[in-house]
Amino acid sequence: MYLCCFNLSAAAGMDKAGINLAAANKNLLTLYSDMDTEEKVKFYNSWAENYEKHMSVMDYQAPSHGVDTINSVYSDDRSSALVFDVPCGTGKVADLMLKLGFKNFHGMDGSEEMLKISKSKGLYQNLIHCLITGDKQLPVKEGTYNVVMVVGGIAQQHLPWEILPELLRITKTGGLICLTLRAEVSDHRSKLFASIQELLKKGLWEEIVKRHIEKWQKDMLLTGVSEEYTDGFVYVFRKK
């Protein structure tokens, strides 16, 4: 009976958690493909319901790494701190930070269906539907947030590298900005690092953490998720 059940599961392409591996691989391949903004929004709207399950197939741990890093350096009162989560997706970052004493969260995302899932969890006091581009100001007042969390969005090139000055603008003086990045070589990443260095040279922020993490997540091949892992980084900057 055990062998029969195992074979049926394997034939159906299901893992031990009941996740459809074929569907997960298809969506993960799409995630790392080139898409324009409209295509990305449609993709996330269609994927929202299965997003967390499918991301688990590649052992995606960026939210945990980002939150753990902030936890290690944040020394102010957490119960009164206001956290901005962008893109907030299905609310994983806020869920993890809530367990560490943070209570106040605002989220922003371009996908209405992802925001619906975040809203259903009751974690955010304010959720903003916004398509973020490098040439438009975010609909947020200057100096609003104590902590800005950018988990995965820049690494997957969903947020433009030009957004860094805007993140600084909406952060309070002395506030922290956390970026999580999958290790990669690309034109987008080169421009992002150049922007980071420019802001450092101008004295607008200071780097307080650069954390290299091995086995960040399973690598993506042209055929789908690999069993090999890629590295990643967590950066934390303080606005001056």
Side-chain angles (χ1 to χ4, degrees):
M1 179 62 71
Y2 173 78
L3 289 174
C4 179
C5 289
F6 176 82
N7 289 334
L8 283 172
S9 178
M14 309 292 283
D15 73 356
K16 293 179 181 179
I19 298 171
N20 186 318
L21 295 178
N25 265 294
K26 179 181 177 181
N27 283 319
L28 291 168
L29 283 169
T30 303
L31 172 65
Y32 287 99
S33 66
D34 292 329
M35 294 181 282
D36 62 30
T37 300
E38 184 177 347
E39 289 173 327
K40 287 175 184 176
V41 171
K42 288 182 179 178
F43 168 64
Y44 273 104
N45 281 337
S46 67
W47 192 29
E49 185 177 346
N50 291 306
Y51 171 80
E52 292 188 19
K53 291 188 295 183
H54 288 180
M55 290 297 283
S56 71
V57 170
M58 67 189 315
D59 197 19
Y60 180 67
Q61 298 294 325
S64 296
H65 293 314
V67 171
D68 288 346
T69 305
I70 283 292
N71 183 46
S72 70
V73 297
Y74 195 84
S75 58
D76 294 335
D77 178 41
R78 299 182 179 196
S79 63
S80 62
L82 185 55
V83 178
F84 185 56
D85 181 13
V86 57
C88 62
T90 57
K92 184 66 175 178
V93 168
D95 186 35
L96 293 171
M97 294 185 76
L98 184 68
K99 297 172 183 176
L100 297 173
F102 294 92
K103 297 181 179 180
N104 306 296
F105 304 98
H106 289 181
M108 180 180 291
D109 204 283
S111 166
E112 290 184 280
E113 294 302 316
M114 299 286 271
L115 286 172
K116 286 179 182 178
I117 294 176
S118 289
K119 183 177 181 180
S120 71
K121 294 180 178 180
L123 300 170
Y124 297 86
Q125 288 76 44
N126 186 31
L127 287 168
I128 306 168
H129 178 230
C130 179
L131 294 177
I132 300 168
T133 62
D135 58 350
K136 292 183 180 179
Q137 191 174 91
L138 298 176
V140 179
K141 292 182 179 179
E142 182 176 349
T144 297
Y145 297 106
N146 301 92
V147 181
V148 173
M149 301 293 294
V150 186
V151 173
I154 290 181
Q156 292 161 203
Q157 302 182 14
H158 294 343
L159 297 183
W161 60 267
E162 299 97 330
I163 197 174
L164 297 186
E166 265 300 279
L167 298 181
L168 266 172
R169 184 186 67 81
I170 64 175
T171 304
K172 293 182 179 180
T173 300
L176 302 182
I177 298 171
C178 176
L179 310 177
T180 74
L181 304 170
R182 179 175 61 98
E184 66 175 44
V185 177
S186 67
D187 181 61
H188 179 277
R189 184 59 54 83
S190 296
K191 290 177 179 177
L192 175 67
F193 282 143
S195 182
I196 287 173
Q197 291 302 315
E198 181 180 358
L199 295 173
L200 287 170
K201 290 178 181 178
K202 289 181 178 180
L204 298 177
W205 67 6
E206 60 179 335
E207 181 184 295
I208 61 172
V209 176
K210 179 183 178 181
R211 183 183 173 199
H212 173 236
I213 299 172
E214 296 181 349
K215 292 192 173 182
W216 179 261
Q217 67 184 51
K218 290 183 178 180
D219 204 1
M220 286 299 300
L221 306 177
L222 294 177
T223 53
V225 179
S226 169
E227 288 305 308
E228 300 297 323
Y229 280 75
T230 186
D231 293 355
F233 296 89
V234 180
Y235 290 86
V236 179
F237 301 93
R238 178 180 285 116
K239 182 177 177 177
K240 300 179 73 173

